[in-house]
Amino acid sequence: MLSKSCVYALRAIIFIAHNAREEAKIGIKEIAQELDLPVHYLGKILQQLTKHKIIQSIKGPNGGFYLDRESKQVRLIKVIEVMDGLDVFFQCGLGLNNCSEEHPCPLHDNFKVYRDGLYTLFSTTSIADLANKIDEGNAFIQNFPSKLKDSLK
Amino acid sequence: MLSKSCVYALRAIIFIAHNAREEAKIGIKEIAQELDLPVHYLGKILQQLTKHKIIQSIKGPNGGFYLDRESKQVRLIKVIEVMDGLDVFFQCGLGLNNCSEEHPCPLHDNFKVYRDGLYTLFSTTSIADLANKIDEGNAFIQNFPSKLKDSLK
DNA sequence: ATAATAAAAGACCTAAATATCTTTTATTGA
DNA sequence: TCAATAAAAGATATTTAGGTCTTTTATTAT
């Protein structure tokens, strides 16, 4: 469905939204550790997101990543667009490139319902929406091996 | 969403269902030509499907592929299972391996609707269902470069 | 039996995604 | 201005998906 890079990106952004502020940025090593992701690979991903202004970063001592007010309102679909492109949401279920409303493939009408549904979901959900849903009983937290988990006890 | 191999497999099966019978099997070269797929790659795919009894094949002169009565009733999900596995339909939208009904990730409930919808669609749709839907105004036909298209005029 | 046919099987190649390592640049505080 | 810090950038390695080519096996008709 979504590439590994894209899913890592979403996890990282939600984590940053939930754990950093401009006055208390979070470093890549800590993000990687908490989310159990390869540091350098994550670095590449955050680099892309920064370039597209989806997250904010500052170099040097006390540097790190955070989300400004605008970035927290970014929709998931934007992240997907940057990482994977939006082709998944416009492609035929049978991979036919001439499948369309006028000349639908035999799976088209049924498939479209869910493909469009996902597109709408990702287009209407913001980073903040997800970050705000994080609480103790949540898989997102359960997944953190160390710090955050403890910090909530 | 689905791998290329899987989508090729679905296209090929539908094509075979629509164009072959036990008394008039269709060869791999013709399938590849009509669907515009690489012959040998398609060969590998059909080989897998044959091994799993999802299609029938006969070697030698007048040999080729066809679907018996049972195979036409096979559901798309079975093909997906053989080609890609069913993980897509049971994985968390954020790729968390401990996301569950009890400890859902913040995307879980909304994502599940569409992921489960697709699973149900593929589980209830048979090869025959799709093959029977093929007609002239159909993307599946439009896609055929030569023979079949002409034969329907 | 043998030649021709067509799928099965195995070996191999290529490109893309995933992942790691090293060097450079920007920033800060001493 | 210099040392330390942390992200950016570049180069390289590994793995998986996608694709090709060659040989083998089964079947048929002559």
Side-chain angles (χ1 to χ4, degrees), chain B residues 27-28 44 47 50 57 60-61:
Chain B
I28 191 171
K44 288 294 173 198
Q47 198 177 309
T50 303
S57 80

mmCIF file of all heavy atoms in Angstrom, chain B residues 27-28 44 47 50 57 60-61, chain C residues 4-11:
data_model
loop_
_atom_site.group_PDB
_atom_site.id
_atom_site.type_symbol
_atom_site.label_atom_id
_atom_site.label_comp_id
_atom_site.label_asym_id
_atom_site.label_seq_id
_atom_site.Cartn_x
_atom_site.Cartn_y
_atom_site.Cartn_z
ATOM 1 N N GLY B 27 -2.270 -20.561 -25.354
ATOM 2 C CA GLY B 27 -0.840 -20.631 -25.066
ATOM 3 C C GLY B 27 -0.311 -19.361 -24.413
ATOM 4 O O GLY B 27 -0.922 -18.294 -24.505
ATOM 5 N N ILE B 28 0.829 -19.509 -23.768
ATOM 6 C CA ILE B 28 1.391 -18.394 -23.018
ATOM 7 C C ILE B 28 1.801 -17.238 -23.915
ATOM 8 O O ILE B 28 1.659 -16.075 -23.541
ATOM 9 C CB ILE B 28 2.595 -18.881 -22.166
ATOM 10 C CG1 ILE B 28 3.016 -17.806 -21.192
ATOM 11 C CG2 ILE B 28 3.743 -19.308 -23.047
ATOM 12 C CD1 ILE B 28 4.017 -18.299 -20.200
ATOM 13 N N LYS B 44 6.543 -17.472 -15.398
ATOM 14 C CA LYS B 44 6.803 -17.718 -13.978
ATOM 15 C C LYS B 44 5.539 -17.592 -13.149
ATOM 16 O O LYS B 44 5.286 -18.379 -12.238
ATOM 17 C CB LYS B 44 7.827 -16.698 -13.453
ATOM 18 C CG LYS B 44 9.231 -16.927 -13.952
ATOM 19 C CD LYS B 44 9.773 -18.202 -13.407
ATOM 20 C CE LYS B 44 11.106 -18.569 -14.015
ATOM 21 N NZ LYS B 44 11.416 -19.989 -13.801
ATOM 22 N N GLN B 47 3.126 -20.401 -13.833
ATOM 23 C CA GLN B 47 3.707 -21.590 -13.209
ATOM 24 C C GLN B 47 3.277 -21.688 -11.739
ATOM 25 O O GLN B 47 2.858 -22.734 -11.266
ATOM 26 C CB GLN B 47 5.218 -21.431 -13.298
ATOM 27 C CG GLN B 47 6.041 -22.670 -13.107
ATOM 28 C CD GLN B 47 7.524 -22.325 -13.300
ATOM 29 O OE1 GLN B 47 7.904 -21.712 -14.302
ATOM 30 N NE2 GLN B 47 8.344 -22.681 -12.349
ATOM 31 N N THR B 50 -0.430 -22.449 -11.484
ATOM 32 C CA THR B 50 -0.666 -23.856 -11.805
ATOM 33 C C THR B 50 -0.335 -24.742 -10.607
ATOM 34 O O THR B 50 -1.102 -25.629 -10.234
ATOM 35 C CB THR B 50 0.200 -24.287 -12.999
ATOM 36 O OG1 THR B 50 -0.072 -23.443 -14.108
ATOM 37 C CG2 THR B 50 -0.089 -25.724 -13.394
ATOM 38 N N SER B 57 -3.032 -26.401 -16.572
ATOM 39 C CA SER B 57 -2.138 -26.336 -17.728
ATOM 40 C C SER B 57 -1.834 -27.720 -18.264
ATOM 41 O O SER B 57 -1.816 -28.696 -17.516
ATOM 42 C CB SER B 57 -0.838 -25.636 -17.352
ATOM 43 O OG SER B 57 0.015 -26.530 -16.671
ATOM 44 N N GLY B 60 2.889 -29.678 -24.103
ATOM 45 C CA GLY B 60 2.925 -30.308 -25.424
ATOM 46 C C GLY B 60 1.965 -29.720 -26.442
ATOM 47 O O GLY B 60 1.222 -28.772 -26.141
ATOM 48 N N PRO B 61 1.984 -30.289 -27.618
ATOM 49 C CA PRO B 61 1.134 -29.796 -28.712
ATOM 50 C C PRO B 61 -0.329 -29.738 -28.293
ATOM 51 O O PRO B 61 -0.794 -30.641 -27.584
ATOM 52 C CB PRO B 61 1.348 -30.847 -29.807
ATOM 53 C CG PRO B 61 2.688 -31.422 -29.533
ATOM 54 C CD PRO B 61 2.846 -31.410 -28.046
ATOM 55 P P DA C 4 11.400 -31.431 -36.414
ATOM 56 O OP1 DA C 4 11.370 -30.837 -37.775
ATOM 57 O OP2 DA C 4 12.576 -31.217 -35.524
ATOM 58 O "O5'" DA C 4 10.089 -30.954 -35.652
ATOM 59 C "C5'" DA C 4 8.813 -31.367 -36.168
ATOM 60 C "C4'" DA C 4 7.749 -30.905 -35.212
ATOM 61 O "O4'" DA C 4 7.762 -31.759 -34.034
ATOM 62 C "C3'" DA C 4 7.917 -29.470 -34.709
ATOM 63 O "O3'" DA C 4 6.657 -28.819 -34.795
ATOM 64 C "C2'" DA C 4 8.398 -29.636 -33.280
ATOM 65 C "C1'" DA C 4 7.734 -30.944 -32.880
ATOM 66 N N9 DA C 4 8.415 -31.686 -31.817
ATOM 67 C C8 DA C 4 9.753 -31.934 -31.688
ATOM 68 N N7 DA C 4 10.067 -32.644 -30.632
ATOM 69 C C5 DA C 4 8.837 -32.882 -30.025
ATOM 70 C C6 DA C 4 8.480 -33.584 -28.856
ATOM 71 N N6 DA C 4 9.351 -34.210 -28.069
ATOM 72 N N1 DA C 4 7.162 -33.628 -28.532
ATOM 73 C C2 DA C 4 6.291 -33.008 -29.321
ATOM 74 N N3 DA C 4 6.510 -32.319 -30.442
ATOM 75 C C4 DA C 4 7.816 -32.299 -30.739
ATOM 76 P P DT C 5 6.512 -27.262 -34.493
ATOM 77 O OP1 DT C 5 5.507 -26.699 -35.417
ATOM 78 O OP2 DT C 5 7.854 -26.668 -34.352
ATOM 79 O "O5'" DT C 5 5.850 -27.317 -33.048
ATOM 80 C "C5'" DT C 5 4.567 -27.935 -32.895
ATOM 81 C "C4'" DT C 5 4.246 -28.018 -31.427
ATOM 82 O "O4'" DT C 5 5.200 -28.876 -30.764
ATOM 83 C "C3'" DT C 5 4.295 -26.679 -30.692
ATOM 84 O "O3'" DT C 5 3.005 -26.420 -30.171
ATOM 85 C "C2'" DT C 5 5.332 -26.892 -29.583
ATOM 86 C "C1'" DT C 5 5.355 -28.403 -29.455
ATOM 87 N N1 DT C 5 6.594 -29.020 -28.917
ATOM 88 C C2 DT C 5 6.484 -29.867 -27.850
ATOM 89 O O2 DT C 5 5.426 -30.136 -27.310
ATOM 90 N N3 DT C 5 7.660 -30.411 -27.414
ATOM 91 C C4 DT C 5 8.926 -30.187 -27.934
ATOM 92 O O4 DT C 5 9.902 -30.741 -27.459
ATOM 93 C C5 DT C 5 8.970 -29.270 -29.062
ATOM 94 C C7 DT C 5 10.285 -28.961 -29.700
ATOM 95 C C6 DT C 5 7.819 -28.732 -29.505
ATOM 96 P P DA C 6 2.548 -24.904 -29.814
ATOM 97 O OP1 DA C 6 1.122 -24.739 -30.181
ATOM 98 O OP2 DA C 6 3.574 -23.969 -30.333
ATOM 99 O "O5'" DA C 6 2.672 -24.910 -28.239
ATOM 100 C "C5'" DA C 6 1.888 -25.832 -27.485
ATOM 101 C "C4'" DA C 6 2.414 -25.888 -26.072
ATOM 102 O "O4'" DA C 6 3.621 -26.702 -26.038
ATOM 103 C "C3'" DA C 6 2.819 -24.524 -25.493
ATOM 104 O "O3'" DA C 6 2.284 -24.369 -24.208
ATOM 105 C "C2'" DA C 6 4.330 -24.581 -25.445
ATOM 106 C "C1'" DA C 6 4.534 -26.074 -25.175
ATOM 107 N N9 DA C 6 5.886 -26.508 -25.477
ATOM 108 C C8 DA C 6 6.711 -26.077 -26.480
ATOM 109 N N7 DA C 6 7.900 -26.635 -26.475
ATOM 110 C C5 DA C 6 7.858 -27.488 -25.392
ATOM 111 C C6 DA C 6 8.809 -28.367 -24.850
ATOM 112 N N6 DA C 6 10.036 -28.537 -25.343
ATOM 113 N N1 DA C 6 8.446 -29.080 -23.754
ATOM 114 C C2 DA C 6 7.214 -28.915 -23.250
ATOM 115 N N3 DA C 6 6.236 -28.117 -23.680
ATOM 116 C C4 DA C 6 6.629 -27.428 -24.765
ATOM 117 P P DA C 7 2.266 -22.992 -23.402
ATOM 118 O OP1 DA C 7 0.887 -22.494 -23.436
ATOM 119 O OP2 DA C 7 3.384 -22.127 -23.846
ATOM 120 O "O5'" DA C 7 2.570 -23.511 -21.939
ATOM 121 C "C5'" DA C 7 1.752 -24.561 -21.417
ATOM 122 C "C4'" DA C 7 2.548 -25.370 -20.409
ATOM 123 O "O4'" DA C 7 3.748 -25.879 -21.047
ATOM 124 C "C3'" DA C 7 3.011 -24.574 -19.194
ATOM 125 O "O3'" DA C 7 2.772 -25.352 -18.024
ATOM 126 C "C2'" DA C 7 4.503 -24.347 -19.439
ATOM 127 C "C1'" DA C 7 4.872 -25.588 -20.245
ATOM 128 N N9 DA C 7 6.007 -25.368 -21.135
ATOM 129 C C8 DA C 7 6.088 -24.489 -22.183
ATOM 130 N N7 DA C 7 7.254 -24.512 -22.803
ATOM 131 C C5 DA C 7 7.979 -25.463 -22.115
ATOM 132 C C6 DA C 7 9.289 -25.952 -22.283
ATOM 133 N N6 DA C 7 10.127 -25.525 -23.229
ATOM 134 N N1 DA C 7 9.698 -26.910 -21.430
ATOM 135 C C2 DA C 7 8.867 -27.338 -20.471
ATOM 136 N N3 DA C 7 7.611 -26.961 -20.218
ATOM 137 C C4 DA C 7 7.232 -26.009 -21.088
ATOM 138 P P DA C 8 3.265 -24.842 -16.583
ATOM 139 O OP1 DA C 8 2.353 -25.416 -15.566
ATOM 140 O OP2 DA C 8 3.461 -23.382 -16.667
ATOM 141 O "O5'" DA C 8 4.698 -25.546 -16.425
ATOM 142 C "C5'" DA C 8 4.760 -26.961 -16.303
ATOM 143 C "C4'" DA C 8 6.097 -27.372 -15.723
ATOM 144 O "O4'" DA C 8 7.151 -27.088 -16.683
ATOM 145 C "C3'" DA C 8 6.508 -26.675 -14.432
ATOM 146 O "O3'" DA C 8 7.097 -27.669 -13.598
ATOM 147 C "C2'" DA C 8 7.486 -25.595 -14.890
ATOM 148 C "C1'" DA C 8 8.140 -26.255 -16.100
ATOM 149 N N9 DA C 8 8.553 -25.349 -17.184
ATOM 150 C C8 DA C 8 7.815 -24.363 -17.776
ATOM 151 N N7 DA C 8 8.449 -23.744 -18.767
ATOM 152 C C5 DA C 8 9.678 -24.379 -18.806
ATOM 153 C C6 DA C 8 10.811 -24.195 -19.647
ATOM 154 N N6 DA C 8 10.869 -23.288 -20.622
ATOM 155 N N1 DA C 8 11.880 -24.988 -19.437
ATOM 156 C C2 DA C 8 11.814 -25.913 -18.465
ATOM 157 N N3 DA C 8 10.803 -26.177 -17.616
ATOM 158 C C4 DA C 8 9.762 -25.372 -17.851
ATOM 159 P P DA C 9 7.649 -27.282 -12.112
ATOM 160 O OP1 DA C 9 7.609 -28.531 -11.306
ATOM 161 O OP2 DA C 9 6.963 -26.055 -11.652
ATOM 162 O "O5'" DA C 9 9.175 -26.928 -12.399
ATOM 163 C "C5'" DA C 9 9.991 -27.872 -13.110
ATOM 164 C "C4'" DA C 9 11.384 -27.307 -13.262
ATOM 165 O "O4'" DA C 9 11.421 -26.390 -14.382
ATOM 166 C "C3'" DA C 9 11.891 -26.527 -12.048
ATOM 167 O "O3'" DA C 9 13.126 -27.101 -11.673
ATOM 168 C "C2'" DA C 9 12.028 -25.088 -12.550
ATOM 169 C "C1'" DA C 9 12.259 -25.313 -14.041
ATOM 170 N N9 DA C 9 11.895 -24.207 -14.926
ATOM 171 C C8 DA C 9 10.759 -23.438 -14.895
ATOM 172 N N7 DA C 9 10.708 -22.519 -15.844
ATOM 173 C C5 DA C 9 11.895 -22.709 -16.536
ATOM 174 C C6 DA C 9 12.446 -22.049 -17.669
ATOM 175 N N6 DA C 9 11.846 -21.044 -18.293
ATOM 176 N N1 DA C 9 13.648 -22.484 -18.106
ATOM 177 C C2 DA C 9 14.245 -23.501 -17.473
ATOM 178 N N3 DA C 9 13.827 -24.192 -16.403
ATOM 179 C C4 DA C 9 12.632 -23.738 -15.985
ATOM 180 P P DG C 10 13.876 -26.639 -10.282
ATOM 181 O OP1 DG C 10 14.311 -27.879 -9.606
ATOM 182 O OP2 DG C 10 13.033 -25.651 -9.572
ATOM 183 O "O5'" DG C 10 15.178 -25.890 -10.834
ATOM 184 C "C5'" DG C 10 15.909 -26.469 -11.917
ATOM 185 C "C4'" DG C 10 16.866 -25.439 -12.483
ATOM 186 O "O4'" DG C 10 16.151 -24.565 -13.390
ATOM 187 C "C3'" DG C 10 17.515 -24.542 -11.430
ATOM 188 O "O3'" DG C 10 18.918 -24.513 -11.647
ATOM 189 C "C2'" DG C 10 16.862 -23.190 -11.655
ATOM 190 C "C1'" DG C 10 16.579 -23.241 -13.158
ATOM 191 N N9 DG C 10 15.557 -22.319 -13.609
ATOM 192 C C8 DG C 10 14.349 -22.052 -12.995
ATOM 193 N N7 DG C 10 13.641 -21.156 -13.639
ATOM 194 C C5 DG C 10 14.429 -20.815 -14.731
ATOM 195 C C6 DG C 10 14.190 -19.893 -15.786
ATOM 196 O O6 DG C 10 13.200 -19.173 -15.976
ATOM 197 N N1 DG C 10 15.254 -19.853 -16.697
ATOM 198 C C2 DG C 10 16.394 -20.608 -16.591
ATOM 199 N N2 DG C 10 17.310 -20.436 -17.549
ATOM 200 N N3 DG C 10 16.629 -21.474 -15.610
ATOM 201 C C4 DG C 10 15.610 -21.527 -14.724
ATOM 202 P P DA C 11 19.886 -23.763 -10.569
ATOM 203 O OP1 DA C 11 20.768 -24.781 -9.984
ATOM 204 O OP2 DA C 11 19.069 -22.877 -9.694
ATOM 205 O "O5'" DA C 11 20.732 -22.820 -11.536
ATOM 206 C "C5'" DA C 11 20.874 -23.124 -12.924
ATOM 207 C "C4'" DA C 11 21.211 -21.852 -13.662
ATOM 208 O "O4'" DA C 11 19.984 -21.182 -14.045
ATOM 209 C "C3'" DA C 11 22.016 -20.851 -12.835
ATOM 210 O "O3'" DA C 11 23.111 -20.383 -13.608
ATOM 211 C "C2'" DA C 11 21.010 -19.747 -12.510
ATOM 212 C "C1'" DA C 11 20.085 -19.809 -13.727
ATOM 213 N N9 DA C 11 18.732 -19.307 -13.484
ATOM 214 C C8 DA C 11 17.912 -19.597 -12.428
ATOM 215 N N7 DA C 11 16.747 -18.995 -12.485
ATOM 216 C C5 DA C 11 16.810 -18.257 -13.664
ATOM 217 C C6 DA C 11 15.889 -17.395 -14.301
ATOM 218 N N6 DA C 11 14.675 -17.130 -13.815
ATOM 219 N N1 DA C 11 16.268 -16.822 -15.459
ATOM 220 C C2 DA C 11 17.484 -17.088 -15.937
ATOM 221 N N3 DA C 11 18.437 -17.881 -15.438
ATOM 222 C C4 DA C 11 18.030 -18.441 -14.290
#
